[in-house]
Amino acid sequence: MSDGKRVGIVLVSHSAAVAASVAELAKGLVGGAAVPVAPAGGTEGGELGTSAELIAAAVASVNRGAGVAVLTDLGSAVLTVKALLAEGDELPEGTRLVDAPFVEGAVAAVVTAATGADLAAVEAAAAEAYDYRKV
């Protein structure tokens, strides 16, 4: 992408601490590259769960016009993002729910976004993390 825009990444977890930690890990591995990454974890009250409002705010905060990749941890996080996308006006155009493992996919997405890749490439890199073998 030559226009300087970066794909944004939103990490949705049932835990604010988990979302923030995975975001910190992924950002740390790109050595300070300017990738817009935002965690959206837990509820507004700090409990375990997911919040449509926190997710929508996180997506808005990372939207730079090149698309936003949203990665989630567990089932209801997926359902909340799907509901927001189905509403049609809750998330900016170009927002995609990415089917990827949460930690490995987040790292792959952020590293790929740091190269200036487009949303399709970021989504593909995150999804490929399902194929990573550890042993």
Side-chain angles (χ1 to χ4, degrees):
M1 179 166 284
S2 62
D3 59 4
K5 294 179 181 176
R6 299 266 187 211
V7 172
I9 312 291
V10 172
L11 304 172
V12 180
S13 171
H14 283 67
S15 163
V18 169
S21 295
V22 173
E24 180 183 346
L25 170 67
K27 289 191 296 187
L29 292 175
V30 294
V35 179
V37 180
T43 67
E44 292 90 346
E47 302 294 324
L48 295 177
T50 56
S51 162
E53 291 77 17
L54 291 178
I55 295 167
V59 170
S61 76
V62 301
N63 183 21
R64 304 289 187 275
V68 177
V70 181
L71 287 82
T72 65
D73 61 356
L74 303 172
S76 65
V78 174
L79 296 175
T80 302
V81 174
K82 282 183 173 180
L84 287 167
L85 289 168
E87 289 293 322
D89 61 349
E90 296 293 325
L91 300 177
E93 187 174 334
T95 302
R96 288 190 196 162
L97 174 60
V98 175
D99 184 14
F102 192 61
V103 176
E104 292 88 346
V107 170
V110 172
V111 168
T112 304
T115 68
D118 65 13
L119 181 58
V122 169
E123 181 177 23
E128 286 174 12
Y130 275 127
D131 296 330
Y132 296 170
R133 304 287 309 181
K134 296 182 181 172
V135 289

